[in-house]
């Protein structure tokens, strides 16, 4: 029994939590080693003293009230959560505590066992967590505001873009109707005058006017076409035989080729069906037009369509001036005229070709003709 008693006393003494036992008058009757360390007192300094000595001064009055109330109905209780309790060390410093109370009936009356835990570290971490959370909340709010601002800017930008497109369309329409008509009239008048003045001194000037008017008309037509294709998102397509289209386009160039004494070899024999818009004609005529423009008189042009698995692949091969490697990609961008060789042009033809091909899900590229000159390829997915 005696041995048990000392064993229990040692449990009490060396328990890891601070334990303070108080009588019904609030006097400290026992404390253990952990409590001595926690509060910085030796037990002899505390015994018989009111428990409030371990409470910061500003809370002492309330503590006495609480203690009296507790002793009128003592029961196990856990204090601390949400209460933010503090203890005071001998040196006057404060620290956060959690307290568990448990009454103990003895022959000397009711005692209360208080187990005190230093939760400074836990509080610090909670505080840090709260601060991090607050900071995060502020940052989320800032980002949300920024995002809303960016969204507004984007809406403004979209509206401006729409307006710019509207103006562009308007401008394209003006170019077409209000410029092409008078230009057509000038051209006609010039031609009539030319007939009258055939051979004399003024005809040189008139010829120059006609050439420039032709160039303007060509430029306006191409620019209008490019603008339309640029804003188009898709083209209406139907199943058509590319061979027949290419043959018809080639026919229309016969006269020009004869004028330049050029020879055409049309190799395509079989049909090749693809889902295309009739505008594909412009692709072929642009490539043929260039092949004629950028080749010397008397040279040859070869045209073919090959049915390649998933694609109809067309090529226009010339034995002309050829294209430098550096220029091979550039010339598909608008207004890029590379080696002009004194040939008139708008620099829009191949940009139009590329746009039409893109709208068909196809592609266009150029390679060297090993015998001198170039080969332009276009590839359209088969239907
Ligand atoms: P352009 O109106 O100048 O002909 P394109 O867009 O059709 O405009 O062609 C762009 C440039 O590519 C031309 O200025 C020319 O320098 C070059 N080019 C196009 N086709 C050929 C070709 N078959 N052979 C050599 N150069 C070519």
């Amino acid at each position: 029994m005696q041995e048990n008693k000392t064993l229990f006393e040692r449990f009490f003494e060396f328990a890891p939590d601070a334990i303070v036992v108080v009588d019904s008058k609030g006097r400290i009757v026992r404390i253990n080693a952990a409590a001595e360390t926690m509060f910085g007192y030796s037990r002899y300094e505390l015994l018989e003293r009111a428990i409030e000595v371990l409470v910061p001064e500003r809370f002492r009055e309330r503590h006495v009230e609480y203690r009296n109330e507790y002793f009128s109905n003592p029961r196990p209780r856990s204090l601390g959560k949400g209460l933010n309790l503090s203890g005071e060390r001998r040196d006057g410093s404060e620290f956060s505590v959690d307290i568990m109370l448990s009454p103990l009936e003895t022959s000397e009356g009711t005692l209360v066992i208080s187990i005190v835990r230093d939760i400074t570290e836990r509080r610090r971490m909670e505080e840090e967590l709260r601060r991090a959370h607050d900071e995060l909340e502020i940052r989320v709010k800032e980002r949300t505001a920024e995002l809303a601002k960016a969204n507004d800017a984007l809406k403004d930008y979209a509206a401006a873009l729409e307006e710019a497109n509207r103006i562009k369309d308007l401008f394209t329409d003006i170019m077409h109707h209000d410029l092409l008509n008078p230009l057509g009239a000038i051209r006609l008048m010039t031609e009539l005058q030319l007939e009258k003045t055939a051979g004399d001194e003024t005809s040189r000037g008139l010829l120059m006017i006609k050439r420039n008017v032709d160039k303007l008309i060509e430029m306006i037509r191409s620019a209008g076409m490019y603008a339309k294709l640029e804003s188009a998102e898709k083209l209406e397509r139907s199943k058509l035989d590319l061979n027949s289209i290419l043959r018809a386009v080639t026919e229309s160039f016969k006269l020009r080729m004869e004028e330049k004494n050029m020879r055409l070899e049309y190799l395509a024999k079989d049909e090749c069906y693809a889902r295309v818009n009739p505008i594909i004609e412009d692709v072929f005529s642009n490539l043929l037009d260039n092949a004629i423009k950028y080749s010397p008189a008397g040279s040859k042009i070869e045209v073919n369509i090959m049915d390649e698995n998933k694609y109809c692949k067309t090529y226009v091969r010339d034995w002309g001036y050829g294209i430098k490697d550096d220029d091979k990609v550039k010339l598909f961008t608008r207004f890029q005229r590379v080696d002009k060789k004194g040939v008139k042009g708008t620099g829009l033809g191949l940009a139009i070709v590329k746009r039409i091909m893109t709208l068909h899900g196809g592609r266009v590229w150029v390679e060297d003709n090993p015998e001198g000159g170039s080969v332009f390829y276009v590839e359209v997915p088969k239907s």
Side-chain angles (χ1 to χ4, degrees), residues 290 293-294 318 323 331 336-339 345-347 349-350 376:
N290 282 344
K293 279 196 300 190
Y294 301 107
D318 64 51
I323 295 163
L331 45 86
Q336 282 294 336
R337 304 202 63 214
V338 289
D339 234 337
T346 59
L350 288 177
F376 278 83

Side-chain angles (χ1 to χ4, degrees), residues 218-219 222 286-295 316-324 327 330-341 343-353 366 373-376:
E218 176 59 21
M219 188 85 191
S222 301
N286 255 305
L287 297 184
L288 276 164
D289 183 50
N290 282 344
I292 299 170
K293 279 196 300 190
Y294 301 107
S295 298
V316 176
R317 181 196 302 264
D318 64 51
W319 277 257
Y321 309 126
I323 295 163
K324 289 194 209 106
D327 297 333
K330 281 212 288 234
L331 45 86
F332 294 99
T333 1
R334 61 186 173 166
F335 303 127
Q336 282 294 336
R337 304 202 63 214
V338 289
D339 234 337
K340 291 175 256 175
K341 307 274 180 217
V343 177
K344 284 200 288 293
T346 59
L348 276 172
L350 288 177
I352 289 174
V353 167
V366 62
S374 337
V375 194
F376 278 83

Side-chain angles (χ1 to χ4, degrees), residues 152-202:
D152 285 351
L154 217 65
K155 272 192 204 146
D156 287 351
Y157 182 68
L161 208 67
E162 207 171 289
E163 176 64 3
N165 263 334
R166 206 183 58 75
I167 292 172
K168 190 190 80 184
D169 288 348
L170 187 72
F171 189 66
T172 313
D173 276 0
I174 290 174
M175 281 214 304
H176 252 87
H177 303 119
D178 300 348
L179 294 183
L180 278 183
N181 291 345
L183 278 171
I186 294 172
R187 189 175 195 269
L188 193 71
M189 294 303 289
T190 317
E191 273 168 356
L192 287 175
Q193 281 306 108
L194 261 172
E195 275 171 26
K196 282 187 211 157
T197 57
D200 74 20
E201 200 39 33
T202 44

